């Protein structure tokens, strides 16, 4: 199962046709994201041992993209990482989100905001929309077993969906 999900995520990134270091950042988020999503679905937790390397690796790869002169903005990516983390942290204080989601936020925010602020907005919004639709369908099928939603998978899917179409 993990192999099929990873291959599917990589196929989505490849279909986006990005190249260079930015594409490497997309593949990094896909690889880390699949692992994090499967863990989050199984145990409702996004471990630091994976969220922190996801963030660090994304920022390193986007720095390489900037140094290589690829189109995008490292400053905007860093600002987007901080902005999304701050919004998610505020949500965590209200109990609407877990701290693992907050720690994954900078990686997602940096990847999305590399291209534009609107990509950040639409990528974050896509995660919430995909999550809401999925959870409503799960409730309708009576497959929702708990009140807590594993948001990590939806964050990654939303980010990749928007990143491959705007990058």
């Amino acid at each position: 199962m993990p192999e099929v999900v990873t291959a599917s995520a990589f196929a989505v990134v490849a279909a986006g046709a990005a190249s260079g270091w930015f594409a490497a950042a997309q593949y990094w988020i896909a690889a880390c994201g699949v692992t994090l999503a499967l863990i989050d679905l199984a145990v409702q937790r996004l471990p630091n041992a994976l969220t922190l390397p996801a963030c660090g690796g994304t920022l390193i790869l986007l720095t390489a993209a900037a140094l290589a002169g690829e189109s995008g903005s490292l400053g905007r990516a860093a600002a987007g990482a901080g902005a999304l983390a701050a919004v998610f942290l505020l949500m965590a204080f209200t109990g609407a989100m877990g701290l693992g989601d907050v720690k994954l936020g900078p990686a997602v925010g940096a990847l999305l905001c590399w291209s534009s602020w609107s990509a950040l907005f639409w990528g974050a919004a896509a995660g919430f929309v995909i999550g809401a639709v999925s959870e409503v369908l799960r409730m309708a099928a009576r497959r929702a077993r708990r009140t807590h939603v594993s948001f990590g998978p939806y964050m990654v899917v939303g980010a990749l969906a928007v990143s491959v179409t705007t990058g």
Side-chain angles (χ1 to χ4, degrees):
M1 169 78 165
E3 298 85 0
V4 173
V5 175
T6 304
S8 299
F10 279 23
V12 167
V13 172
S19 62
W21 292 105
F22 178 67
Q26 289 177 320
Y27 283 109
W28 179 252
I29 290 290
C32 293
V34 166
T35 305
L36 285 163
L38 294 173
I39 291 169
D40 199 10
L41 289 170
V43 297
Q44 296 179 321
R45 188 169 174 272
L46 294 172
N48 291 342
L50 295 173
T51 55
L52 300 178
C55 181
T58 301
L59 292 173
I60 288 168
L61 292 167
L62 292 178
T63 300
L67 293 173
E70 294 180 25
S71 108
S73 169
L74 183 60
R76 185 178 52 232
L84 193 60
V87 168
F88 284 0
L89 185 59
L90 288 174
M91 293 176 72
F93 284 143
T94 68
M97 182 172 282
L99 289 177
D101 300 319
V102 174
K103 294 174 204 166
L104 182 56
V108 169
L111 181 73
L112 289 165
C113 215
W114 169 262
S115 300
S116 68
W117 284 104
S118 62
L120 175 65
F121 172 79
W122 290 112
F128 285 103
V129 170
I130 293 166
V133 169
S134 176
E135 292 301 315
V136 166
L137 292 174
R138 286 173 49 84
M139 286 187 287
R142 300 196 188 281
R143 297 198 51 127
R145 301 179 307 273
R146 56 192 181 258
T147 57
H148 176 79
V149 174
S150 296
F151 187 58
Y154 305 125
M155 287 174 62
V156 172
V157 170
L160 286 176
V162 171
S163 177
V164 299
T165 59
T166 60

